[in-house]
Amino acid sequence: MGQQGIPLDHQRAEQESLRPHNATTNREGYREYKSRSCICEKCLSRSQCTESQNCTKTVTRHVWQDYVEMAEDVRHTLKYKELYQRRKETIERVFADAKVKYGMRYTLYKGLTQVTNWVKLKFAAINLKKLAMLIAMRKPSYRARPFGTAKQTESPSLLPQ
């Protein structure tokens, strides 16, 4: 017995019959595989596989499905479980702040182009604010001072004495 209780000889026949001999890919990126009826009609386990009258089995699979499965396997490793826990502290925090602090819960614009431009402008402003705060924390000379309390430096007088 192989996977899911299906006999191994049936699995081999299924793999043989589902080769992409007449596979087509639709606009959404799904590839459709159809089995050969000459192989399936002789199979003893056909009832486990398909009940179609013309003895063909159709399997639909996205062209990127292999990569989706690979990412799903990696996501369940211990290393990536720890990284995924940090996601809510870093990535999701940005979107939460955008909704709460910067009024991005709703939009006043209609249309994908206008909303996209609005979001880009908002995030550019957020990034500029972060950059200004980072510079202010790293270099004390750039810290904002109250008006009228500029640092006094000795400069040569421009007026003749």
Side-chain angles (χ1 to χ4, degrees), residues 67-117:
Y67 299 105
V68 170
E69 290 171 359
M70 193 183 328
E72 189 68 22
D73 291 340
V74 168
R75 188 174 71 91
H76 292 291
T77 62
L78 182 63
K79 177 183 176 183
Y80 287 96
K81 281 186 179 181
E82 293 170 0
L83 283 174
Y84 197 74
Q85 290 296 319
R86 289 187 49 214
R87 175 188 168 93
K88 63 183 168 196
E89 300 168 5
T90 55
I91 296 170
E92 292 179 12
R93 182 81 247 155
V94 172
F95 293 104
D97 286 346
K99 280 175 64 177
V100 175
K101 295 180 182 176
Y102 301 106
M104 293 184 68
R105 188 174 301 269
Y106 305 104
T107 179
L108 300 174
Y109 298 99
K110 290 183 181 179
L112 182 62
T113 306
Q114 287 182 334
V115 172
T116 302
N117 290 337

Tab-separated table of all heavy atoms in Angstrom, residues 67-117:
chain	number	residue	atom	x	y	z
A	67	TYR	N	6.540	25.535	-5.738
A	67	TYR	CA	7.182	26.521	-4.874
A	67	TYR	C	6.330	26.812	-3.638
A	67	TYR	O	6.863	27.059	-2.557
A	67	TYR	CB	7.464	27.801	-5.656
A	67	TYR	CG	8.396	27.561	-6.810
A	67	TYR	CD1	7.918	27.536	-8.111
A	67	TYR	CD2	9.750	27.315	-6.598
A	67	TYR	CE1	8.763	27.297	-9.170
A	67	TYR	CE2	10.605	27.076	-7.645
A	67	TYR	CZ	10.105	27.066	-8.931
A	67	TYR	OH	10.960	26.813	-9.973
A	68	VAL	N	5.018	26.790	-3.797
A	68	VAL	CA	4.125	26.985	-2.650
A	68	VAL	C	4.319	25.852	-1.644
A	68	VAL	O	4.412	26.086	-0.432
A	68	VAL	CB	2.651	27.080	-3.111
A	68	VAL	CG1	1.705	27.049	-1.933
A	68	VAL	CG2	2.439	28.325	-3.929
A	69	GLU	N	4.415	24.626	-2.142
A	69	GLU	CA	4.624	23.488	-1.258
A	69	GLU	C	5.987	23.549	-0.584
A	69	GLU	O	6.124	23.221	0.595
A	69	GLU	CB	4.471	22.188	-2.047
A	69	GLU	CG	3.049	21.915	-2.463
A	69	GLU	CD	2.916	20.754	-3.420
A	69	GLU	OE1	3.957	20.145	-3.795
A	69	GLU	OE2	1.776	20.439	-3.796
A	70	MET	N	7.006	23.996	-1.313
A	70	MET	CA	8.338	24.128	-0.735
A	70	MET	C	8.337	25.174	0.386
A	70	MET	O	8.896	24.960	1.459
A	70	MET	CB	9.335	24.534	-1.831
A	70	MET	CG	10.783	24.399	-1.436
A	70	MET	SD	11.962	24.952	-2.704
A	70	MET	CE	11.172	24.589	-4.236
A	71	ALA	N	7.687	26.305	0.147
A	71	ALA	CA	7.601	27.351	1.173
A	71	ALA	C	6.810	26.866	2.382
A	71	ALA	O	7.147	27.187	3.526
A	71	ALA	CB	6.960	28.605	0.591
A	72	GLU	N	5.784	26.084	2.143
A	72	GLU	CA	4.980	25.544	3.236
A	72	GLU	C	5.804	24.583	4.087
A	72	GLU	O	5.709	24.589	5.317
A	72	GLU	CB	3.746	24.841	2.668
A	72	GLU	CG	2.737	24.437	3.684
A	72	GLU	CD	2.038	25.616	4.341
A	72	GLU	OE1	2.008	26.712	3.765
A	72	GLU	OE2	1.536	25.424	5.462
A	73	ASP	N	6.646	23.778	3.446
A	73	ASP	CA	7.511	22.861	4.191
A	73	ASP	C	8.535	23.631	5.026
A	73	ASP	O	8.790	23.302	6.181
A	73	ASP	CB	8.235	21.905	3.244
A	73	ASP	CG	7.289	20.907	2.604
A	73	ASP	OD1	6.176	20.697	3.152
A	73	ASP	OD2	7.647	20.339	1.558
A	74	VAL	N	9.125	24.659	4.442
A	74	VAL	CA	10.127	25.458	5.157
A	74	VAL	C	9.488	26.208	6.324
A	74	VAL	O	10.080	26.339	7.393
A	74	VAL	CB	10.815	26.440	4.176
A	74	VAL	CG1	11.631	27.480	4.908
A	74	VAL	CG2	11.680	25.671	3.206
A	75	ARG	N	8.263	26.645	6.140
A	75	ARG	CA	7.581	27.426	7.176
A	75	ARG	C	7.390	26.636	8.462
A	75	ARG	O	7.321	27.212	9.545
A	75	ARG	CB	6.224	27.887	6.640
A	75	ARG	CG	5.512	28.853	7.537
A	75	ARG	CD	4.265	29.361	6.863
A	75	ARG	NE	3.226	28.371	6.753
A	75	ARG	CZ	2.262	28.181	7.663
A	75	ARG	NH1	2.237	28.927	8.735
A	75	ARG	NH2	1.342	27.271	7.493
A	76	HIS	N	7.340	25.335	8.374
A	76	HIS	CA	7.109	24.514	9.558
A	76	HIS	C	8.388	24.060	10.247
A	76	HIS	O	8.324	23.301	11.213
A	76	HIS	CB	6.242	23.303	9.193
A	76	HIS	CG	4.852	23.694	8.828
A	76	HIS	ND1	3.955	24.184	9.738
A	76	HIS	CD2	4.213	23.698	7.637
A	76	HIS	CE1	2.820	24.452	9.141
A	76	HIS	NE2	2.946	24.182	7.855
A	77	THR	N	9.557	24.514	9.787
A	77	THR	CA	10.795	24.182	10.483
A	77	THR	C	10.933	25.076	11.709
A	77	THR	O	10.326	26.143	11.804
A	77	THR	CB	12.015	24.372	9.568
A	77	THR	OG1	12.090	25.747	9.185
A	77	THR	CG2	11.939	23.482	8.341
A	78	LEU	N	11.742	24.639	12.664
A	78	LEU	CA	11.891	25.358	13.930
A	78	LEU	C	12.469	26.765	13.724
A	78	LEU	O	12.006	27.728	14.338
A	78	LEU	CB	12.786	24.556	14.884
A	78	LEU	CG	12.997	25.155	16.259
A	78	LEU	CD1	11.658	25.238	17.002
A	78	LEU	CD2	13.974	24.327	17.061
A	79	LYS	N	13.439	26.887	12.811
A	79	LYS	CA	14.079	28.186	12.569
A	79	LYS	C	13.060	29.222	12.103
A	79	LYS	O	13.036	30.355	12.576
A	79	LYS	CB	15.167	28.016	11.521
A	79	LYS	CG	15.846	29.302	11.134
A	79	LYS	CD	16.862	29.046	10.047
A	79	LYS	CE	17.484	30.339	9.567
A	79	LYS	NZ	18.413	30.118	8.458
A	80	TYR	N	12.195	28.841	11.179
A	80	TYR	CA	11.256	29.795	10.627
A	80	TYR	C	10.049	30.023	11.518
A	80	TYR	O	9.392	31.046	11.412
A	80	TYR	CB	10.853	29.377	9.211
A	80	TYR	CG	11.990	29.620	8.254
A	80	TYR	CD1	12.872	28.610	7.913
A	80	TYR	CD2	12.230	30.883	7.756
A	80	TYR	CE1	13.932	28.847	7.072
A	80	TYR	CE2	13.289	31.135	6.917
A	80	TYR	CZ	14.133	30.105	6.575
A	80	TYR	OH	15.194	30.351	5.748
A	81	LYS	N	9.782	29.097	12.413
A	81	LYS	CA	8.722	29.346	13.396
A	81	LYS	C	9.140	30.480	14.317
A	81	LYS	O	8.336	31.331	14.685
A	81	LYS	CB	8.430	28.085	14.206
A	81	LYS	CG	7.561	27.099	13.474
A	81	LYS	CD	7.190	25.936	14.365
A	81	LYS	CE	6.300	24.975	13.623
A	81	LYS	NZ	5.900	23.842	14.446
A	82	GLU	N	10.416	30.500	14.705
A	82	GLU	CA	10.924	31.589	15.548
A	82	GLU	C	10.903	32.921	14.799
A	82	GLU	O	10.546	33.950	15.362
A	82	GLU	CB	12.337	31.259	16.017
A	82	GLU	CG	12.401	30.075	16.956
A	82	GLU	CD	13.813	29.602	17.220
A	82	GLU	OE1	14.762	30.204	16.658
A	82	GLU	OE2	13.967	28.641	17.979
A	83	LEU	N	11.294	32.901	13.527
A	83	LEU	CA	11.262	34.130	12.735
A	83	LEU	C	9.834	34.627	12.534
A	83	LEU	O	9.586	35.826	12.531
A	83	LEU	CB	11.914	33.894	11.368
A	83	LEU	CG	13.424	33.859	11.336
A	83	LEU	CD1	13.919	33.471	9.957
A	83	LEU	CD2	13.999	35.192	11.745
A	84	TYR	N	8.915	33.713	12.368
A	84	TYR	CA	7.513	34.091	12.156
A	84	TYR	C	6.929	34.749	13.404
A	84	TYR	O	6.061	35.609	13.305
A	84	TYR	CB	6.699	32.862	11.756
A	84	TYR	CG	5.387	33.206	11.132
A	84	TYR	CD1	5.320	33.695	9.841
A	84	TYR	CD2	4.203	33.052	11.835
A	84	TYR	CE1	4.118	34.014	9.259
A	84	TYR	CE2	2.992	33.376	11.262
A	84	TYR	CZ	2.957	33.849	9.974
A	84	TYR	OH	1.763	34.172	9.413
A	85	GLN	N	7.411	34.357	14.578
A	85	GLN	CA	6.953	34.991	15.814
A	85	GLN	C	7.377	36.455	15.861
A	85	GLN	O	6.673	37.300	16.406
A	85	GLN	CB	7.500	34.245	17.037
A	85	GLN	CG	6.882	32.879	17.240
A	85	GLN	CD	5.399	32.967	17.525
A	85	GLN	OE1	4.941	33.829	18.252
A	85	GLN	NE2	4.634	32.078	16.917
A	86	ARG	N	8.547	36.761	15.292
A	86	ARG	CA	9.030	38.146	15.282
A	86	ARG	C	8.303	39.004	14.259
A	86	ARG	O	8.381	40.229	14.302
A	86	ARG	CB	10.526	38.175	14.990
A	86	ARG	CG	11.338	37.652	16.155
A	86	ARG	CD	12.812	37.826	15.956
A	86	ARG	NE	13.158	39.162	15.535
A	86	ARG	CZ	14.163	39.414	14.710
A	86	ARG	NH1	14.883	38.439	14.209
A	86	ARG	NH2	14.442	40.653	14.363
A	87	ARG	N	7.604	38.377	13.322
A	87	ARG	CA	6.905	39.111	12.264
A	87	ARG	C	5.896	40.094	12.839
A	87	ARG	O	5.794	41.226	12.378
A	87	ARG	CB	6.211	38.118	11.335
A	87	ARG	CG	5.366	38.755	10.274
A	87	ARG	CD	4.559	37.700	9.536
A	87	ARG	NE	3.559	38.318	8.715
A	87	ARG	CZ	3.720	38.622	7.442
A	87	ARG	NH1	4.864	38.357	6.856
A	87	ARG	NH2	2.743	39.184	6.766
A	88	LYS	N	5.161	39.667	13.858
A	88	LYS	CA	4.135	40.550	14.414
A	88	LYS	C	4.749	41.755	15.111
A	88	LYS	O	4.107	42.783	15.243
A	88	LYS	CB	3.217	39.775	15.347
A	88	LYS	CG	3.866	39.197	16.560
A	88	LYS	CD	2.863	38.390	17.345
A	88	LYS	CE	3.564	37.569	18.398
A	88	LYS	NZ	2.739	36.531	18.931
A	89	GLU	N	5.993	41.647	15.533
A	89	GLU	CA	6.660	42.772	16.180
A	89	GLU	C	7.241	43.756	15.175
A	89	GLU	O	7.476	44.905	15.515
A	89	GLU	CB	7.784	42.250	17.075
A	89	GLU	CG	7.316	41.315	18.160
A	89	GLU	CD	8.457	40.602	18.838
A	89	GLU	OE1	9.632	40.911	18.521
A	89	GLU	OE2	8.189	39.737	19.670
A	90	THR	N	7.494	43.304	13.968
A	90	THR	CA	8.156	44.161	12.987
A	90	THR	C	7.229	44.542	11.834
A	90	THR	O	6.815	45.686	11.718
A	90	THR	CB	9.414	43.460	12.441
A	90	THR	OG1	9.042	42.176	11.924
A	90	THR	CG2	10.457	43.280	13.523
A	91	ILE	N	6.895	43.588	11.014
A	91	ILE	CA	6.149	43.888	9.789
A	91	ILE	C	4.718	44.310	10.084
A	91	ILE	O	4.241	45.335	9.601
A	91	ILE	CB	6.170	42.674	8.845
A	91	ILE	CG1	7.606	42.402	8.412
A	91	ILE	CG2	5.302	42.913	7.629
A	91	ILE	CD1	7.792	41.114	7.688
A	92	GLU	N	4.021	43.521	10.874
A	92	GLU	CA	2.610	43.818	11.129
A	92	GLU	C	2.438	45.092	11.952
A	92	GLU	O	1.408	45.737	11.889
A	92	GLU	CB	1.946	42.621	11.807
A	92	GLU	CG	1.858	41.436	10.862
A	92	GLU	CD	1.240	40.219	11.496
A	92	GLU	OE1	0.674	40.334	12.596
A	92	GLU	OE2	1.313	39.147	10.881
A	93	ARG	N	3.460	45.467	12.711
A	93	ARG	CA	3.404	46.695	13.499
A	93	ARG	C	3.306	47.920	12.588
A	93	ARG	O	2.636	48.903	12.901
A	93	ARG	CB	4.663	46.773	14.367
A	93	ARG	CG	4.722	47.954	15.270
A	93	ARG	CD	3.894	47.710	16.503
A	93	ARG	NE	2.761	48.606	16.481
A	93	ARG	CZ	1.624	48.381	17.095
A	93	ARG	NH1	1.439	47.295	17.770
A	93	ARG	NH2	0.652	49.237	17.034
A	94	VAL	N	3.993	47.877	11.453
A	94	VAL	CA	3.968	48.999	10.509
A	94	VAL	C	2.552	49.236	10.006
A	94	VAL	O	2.064	50.369	9.962
A	94	VAL	CB	4.929	48.723	9.328
A	94	VAL	CG1	4.778	49.780	8.248
A	94	VAL	CG2	6.356	48.667	9.812
A	95	PHE	N	1.865	48.162	9.641
A	95	PHE	CA	0.514	48.311	9.118
A	95	PHE	C	-0.479	48.706	10.212
A	95	PHE	O	-1.417	49.467	9.956
A	95	PHE	CB	0.078	47.029	8.414
A	95	PHE	CG	0.859	46.775	7.166
A	95	PHE	CD1	1.863	45.821	7.137
A	95	PHE	CD2	0.612	47.503	6.020
A	95	PHE	CE1	2.586	45.607	5.991
A	95	PHE	CE2	1.332	47.296	4.869
A	95	PHE	CZ	2.337	46.343	4.851
A	96	ALA	N	-0.243	48.220	11.418
A	96	ALA	CA	-1.110	48.615	12.529
A	96	ALA	C	-0.947	50.106	12.817
A	96	ALA	O	-1.934	50.821	13.024
A	96	ALA	CB	-0.785	47.789	13.770
A	97	ASP	N	0.295	50.597	12.826
A	97	ASP	CA	0.531	52.026	13.042
A	97	ASP	C	-0.073	52.854	11.913
A	97	ASP	O	-0.615	53.935	12.147
A	97	ASP	CB	2.031	52.310	13.135
A	97	ASP	CG	2.624	51.849	14.453
A	97	ASP	OD1	1.836	51.556	15.379
A	97	ASP	OD2	3.857	51.779	14.552
A	98	ALA	N	0.026	52.355	10.683
A	98	ALA	CA	-0.536	53.088	9.550
A	98	ALA	C	-2.044	53.240	9.707
A	98	ALA	O	-2.601	54.297	9.406
A	98	ALA	CB	-0.207	52.370	8.245
A	99	LYS	N	-2.695	52.199	10.185
A	99	LYS	CA	-4.146	52.273	10.367
A	99	LYS	C	-4.519	53.207	11.504
A	99	LYS	O	-5.412	54.043	11.375
A	99	LYS	CB	-4.709	50.877	10.671
A	99	LYS	CG	-4.884	50.013	9.449
A	99	LYS	CD	-5.324	48.623	9.804
A	99	LYS	CE	-6.682	48.612	10.441
A	99	LYS	NZ	-7.174	47.270	10.737
A	100	VAL	N	-3.830	53.068	12.628
A	100	VAL	CA	-4.230	53.797	13.835
A	100	VAL	C	-3.713	55.234	13.832
A	100	VAL	O	-4.471	56.177	14.046
A	100	VAL	CB	-3.743	53.044	15.092
A	100	VAL	CG1	-4.030	53.841	16.341
A	100	VAL	CG2	-4.392	51.678	15.173
A	101	LYS	N	-2.429	55.421	13.569
A	101	LYS	CA	-1.811	56.743	13.700
A	101	LYS	C	-1.942	57.625	12.468
A	101	LYS	O	-1.930	58.845	12.575
A	101	LYS	CB	-0.324	56.590	14.028
A	101	LYS	CG	-0.045	55.949	15.357
A	101	LYS	CD	1.447	55.838	15.566
A	101	LYS	CE	1.780	55.148	16.864
A	101	LYS	NZ	3.232	54.978	16.997
A	102	TYR	N	-1.996	57.015	11.289
A	102	TYR	CA	-1.918	57.806	10.063
A	102	TYR	C	-3.192	57.778	9.230
A	102	TYR	O	-3.172	58.122	8.056
A	102	TYR	CB	-0.716	57.352	9.228
A	102	TYR	CG	0.571	57.499	9.983
A	102	TYR	CD1	1.223	56.388	10.499
A	102	TYR	CD2	1.124	58.751	10.212
A	102	TYR	CE1	2.401	56.523	11.207
A	102	TYR	CE2	2.294	58.893	10.922
A	102	TYR	CZ	2.930	57.772	11.421
A	102	TYR	OH	4.082	57.905	12.127
A	103	GLY	N	-4.291	57.348	9.802
A	103	GLY	CA	-5.582	57.438	9.132
A	103	GLY	C	-5.740	56.582	7.903
A	103	GLY	O	-6.415	56.978	6.952
A	104	MET	N	-5.147	55.413	7.902
A	104	MET	CA	-5.243	54.565	6.726
A	104	MET	C	-6.270	53.441	6.897
A	104	MET	O	-6.244	52.455	6.185
A	104	MET	CB	-3.874	53.988	6.370
A	104	MET	CG	-2.925	55.065	5.906
A	104	MET	SD	-1.345	54.450	5.374
A	104	MET	CE	-1.811	53.571	3.912
A	105	ARG	N	-7.176	53.619	7.823
A	105	ARG	CA	-8.241	52.632	7.980
A	105	ARG	C	-9.233	52.758	6.818
A	105	ARG	O	-9.770	51.775	6.345
A	105	ARG	CB	-8.947	52.838	9.316
A	105	ARG	CG	-9.930	51.756	9.660
A	105	ARG	CD	-10.490	51.947	11.050
A	105	ARG	NE	-9.490	51.961	12.086
A	105	ARG	CZ	-9.082	50.883	12.749
A	105	ARG	NH1	-9.581	49.721	12.456
A	105	ARG	NH2	-8.170	50.988	13.689
A	106	TYR	N	-9.457	53.965	6.370
A	106	TYR	CA	-10.369	54.239	5.259
A	106	TYR	C	-9.669	55.143	4.263
A	106	TYR	O	-8.720	55.836	4.599
A	106	TYR	CB	-11.646	54.934	5.755
A	106	TYR	CG	-12.359	54.174	6.837
A	106	TYR	CD1	-12.285	54.578	8.158
A	106	TYR	CD2	-13.107	53.051	6.538
A	106	TYR	CE1	-12.932	53.878	9.165
A	106	TYR	CE2	-13.761	52.343	7.521
A	106	TYR	CZ	-13.667	52.765	8.832
A	106	TYR	OH	-14.308	52.056	9.809
A	107	THR	N	-10.178	55.186	3.057
A	107	THR	CA	-9.623	56.072	2.043
A	107	THR	C	-10.729	56.976	1.498
A	107	THR	O	-11.893	56.602	1.475
A	107	THR	CB	-8.979	55.275	0.895
A	107	THR	OG1	-8.491	56.193	-0.069
A	107	THR	CG2	-9.956	54.340	0.227
A	108	LEU	N	-10.322	58.135	1.088
A	108	LEU	CA	-11.261	59.082	0.491
A	108	LEU	C	-11.242	58.986	-1.031
A	108	LEU	O	-12.026	59.649	-1.697
A	108	LEU	CB	-10.908	60.506	0.912
A	108	LEU	CG	-10.947	60.776	2.421
A	108	LEU	CD1	-10.432	62.179	2.707
A	108	LEU	CD2	-12.348	60.600	2.953
A	109	TYR	N	-10.330	58.198	-1.564
A	109	TYR	CA	-10.154	58.120	-3.008
A	109	TYR	C	-10.835	56.889	-3.572
A	109	TYR	O	-11.059	55.902	-2.878
A	109	TYR	CB	-8.660	58.081	-3.351
A	109	TYR	CG	-7.949	59.331	-2.909
A	109	TYR	CD1	-7.224	59.343	-1.717
A	109	TYR	CD2	-8.019	60.480	-3.658
A	109	TYR	CE1	-6.576	60.487	-1.299
A	109	TYR	CE2	-7.380	61.635	-3.252
A	109	TYR	CZ	-6.663	61.630	-2.072
A	109	TYR	OH	-6.030	62.758	-1.670
A	110	LYS	N	-11.139	56.959	-4.856
A	110	LYS	CA	-11.707	55.823	-5.572
A	110	LYS	C	-10.775	55.449	-6.711
A	110	LYS	O	-10.157	56.316	-7.310
A	110	LYS	CB	-13.083	56.165	-6.140
A	110	LYS	CG	-14.147	56.334	-5.093
A	110	LYS	CD	-15.490	56.599	-5.739
A	110	LYS	CE	-16.559	56.783	-4.670
A	110	LYS	NZ	-17.864	57.070	-5.274
A	111	GLY	N	-10.686	54.184	-6.984
A	111	GLY	CA	-9.838	53.721	-8.073
A	111	GLY	C	-8.496	53.249	-7.568
A	111	GLY	O	-7.933	53.813	-6.624
A	112	LEU	N	-7.988	52.216	-8.191
A	112	LEU	CA	-6.732	51.616	-7.770
A	112	LEU	C	-5.564	52.582	-7.885
A	112	LEU	O	-4.722	52.665	-6.995
A	112	LEU	CB	-6.462	50.353	-8.593
A	112	LEU	CG	-5.210	49.571	-8.247
A	112	LEU	CD1	-5.274	49.055	-6.819
A	112	LEU	CD2	-5.018	48.428	-9.214
A	113	THR	N	-5.499	53.348	-8.944
A	113	THR	CA	-4.374	54.259	-9.157
A	113	THR	C	-4.334	55.343	-8.086
A	113	THR	O	-3.265	55.615	-7.513
A	113	THR	CB	-4.475	54.911	-10.547
A	113	THR	OG1	-4.594	53.877	-11.525
A	113	THR	CG2	-3.251	55.747	-10.844
A	114	GLN	N	-5.462	55.956	-7.798
A	114	GLN	CA	-5.489	57.032	-6.801
A	114	GLN	C	-5.180	56.503	-5.401
A	114	GLN	O	-4.434	57.127	-4.648
A	114	GLN	CB	-6.843	57.732	-6.804
A	114	GLN	CG	-7.055	58.613	-8.010
A	114	GLN	CD	-8.387	59.339	-7.957
A	114	GLN	OE1	-9.332	58.871	-7.333
A	114	GLN	NE2	-8.450	60.468	-8.612
A	115	VAL	N	-5.745	55.352	-5.055
A	115	VAL	CA	-5.485	54.781	-3.728
A	115	VAL	C	-4.028	54.357	-3.612
A	115	VAL	O	-3.392	54.578	-2.579
A	115	VAL	CB	-6.440	53.599	-3.446
A	115	VAL	CG1	-6.058	52.880	-2.170
A	115	VAL	CG2	-7.870	54.082	-3.360
A	116	THR	N	-3.474	53.783	-4.679
A	116	THR	CA	-2.066	53.376	-4.664
A	116	THR	C	-1.159	54.585	-4.468
A	116	THR	O	-0.217	54.538	-3.667
A	116	THR	CB	-1.704	52.650	-5.974
A	116	THR	OG1	-2.562	51.520	-6.115
A	116	THR	CG2	-0.268	52.198	-5.972
A	117	ASN	N	-1.419	55.667	-5.168
A	117	ASN	CA	-0.612	56.883	-5.015
A	117	ASN	C	-0.732	57.444	-3.602
A	117	ASN	O	0.254	57.896	-3.013
A	117	ASN	CB	-1.021	57.930	-6.042
A	117	ASN	CG	-0.614	57.531	-7.436
A	117	ASN	OD1	0.296	56.734	-7.636
A	117	ASN	ND2	-1.302	58.073	-8.423
